[in-house]
Amino acid sequence: MNANQKPNRYQNTSHQTLLADKTKDIAAHDLSMNKNLLSPSGLEMPATDRMQTLGAFDWKHTINETYFDLEVSFRQPNKFSGFLQHAKLLKIGVSHYHANTVHYNRGRQSSGYIDDSILITFPMTGDVRFTQKGRQLTSKPGQFFIELSSLPYEFYHLHEASLYVIKVPLVLLTPQMGTIERQFARSLTVDEGAGRLLVFQIGQILALIHNNQLGDLEIKILEQQLLNLIVLTLSAPKEVMMSCSSSIQSVHLKRIENYVYLHLENSALTPAMVAACHISARYLHKLFSELPYTFSDWVKELRLKQANHILKSKSYVTIDEVAHRVGYTDQGYFSRIYKQHFGYSPRDTPSTG
């Protein structure tokens, strides 16, 4: 599947479990029957007695269709086996992943790549190693971490592992959370509160869709409930709540974001202008050193996303007007970088009206 194509409405392996041509039953891997494979939070993994294994070839295809374009390699391809149960709601996807040793590598994407999403990964059994933009971590059961689609990364587990994975478009999160990306590649804890409920909700969604034909309204309600729990979990994971300095940084970043949104049409917007936020330009750059992009890159991203929103809503008269509304005085330059970012020109932007 092309990265810019939308999957089928219910791209889910709970309705149509992603199966290889093989029919090898994996009842031996029925995690719900094995007390040793319960999560540290006391939540059982879903039953897998009706699932079947995928070999190495089919696994590569399945992983790339479900998540991102990834290079997939195996220690022993002939002995690899895994299964993936995936449910696509409206825009959010949830998965139950189980596999033996495997390694993933995501290279730098082309400028036309527009799947601006994050993956939130919850190891349920086994340890997972992850590296992105110089940050390295080992995530264990009871923890979770965020993967950004826009940057290269490496992800692997040396032994058999079971995971829950959520794929969320950033456009659903940024209106409620702002710069969520600062938490990427950090090992965070879900052993209580919203995080624990979120893990439970993933299992419930997979079970519901696997066993029932849900209507549009039910799918919409499930997605909204899931999104609310995601926002609660990512807004205040334990490590962030315990850090006073992190809370202060979050406040400053939110003020900066609000200021920039209000002044996007100013083509001369510079770090020095955030003096209106009562912080110095030096401190601003320090704040952005914790993010996977510079201040300038971030402002450019905001300008282009706002332009995309205006163009999709058809609330404009000319392309030149749109360019000026987001801070570009040169329409030609604006059109060029817009197409590089979204893969289509401003004039060819699809309408949502």
Side-chain angles (χ1 to χ4, degrees), residues 162-217:
S162 287
L163 318 170
Y164 276 155
V165 184
I166 309 176
K167 183 177 180 182
V168 193
L170 274 175
V171 68
L172 296 183
L173 295 173
T174 48
Q176 303 180 64
M177 302 189 60
T179 51
I180 180 60
E181 295 96 320
R182 74 186 186 85
Q183 293 180 18
F184 83 102
R186 297 189 186 281
S187 196
L188 304 169
T189 303
V190 293
D191 60 355
E192 59 184 25
R196 179 179 169 87
L197 290 175
L198 176 58
V199 173
F200 180 78
Q201 180 80 339
I202 298 169
Q204 291 298 300
I205 287 174
L206 289 169
L208 276 170
I209 296 184
H210 182 74
N211 296 313
N212 302 276
Q213 181 67 44
L214 301 182
D216 290 348
L217 179 59

Side-chain angles (χ1 to χ4, degrees), residues 248-259:
I248 294 171
Q249 289 172 353
S250 295
V251 171
H252 284 311
L253 283 168
K254 190 63 181 176
R255 292 170 70 185
I256 292 168
E257 185 174 22
N258 290 338
Y259 181 87

Side-chain angles (χ1 to χ4, degrees), residues 297-343:
D297 290 337
W298 178 65
V299 171
K300 177 183 175 182
E301 180 84 5
L302 291 182
R303 292 189 196 279
L304 292 174
K305 285 184 176 179
Q306 180 63 14
N308 185 250
H309 172 73
I310 295 170
L311 289 161
K312 282 186 172 181
S313 64
K314 300 298 181 183
S315 56
Y316 67 97
V317 177
T318 65
I319 300 299
D320 188 56
E321 173 199 337
V322 177
H324 278 82
R325 282 170 65 178
V326 296
Y328 291 104
T329 56
D330 184 336
Q331 180 188 327
Y333 174 72
F334 164 71
S335 296
R336 185 166 63 254
I337 63 171
Y338 183 95
K339 186 172 183 179
Q340 287 175 350
H341 186 82
F342 292 105

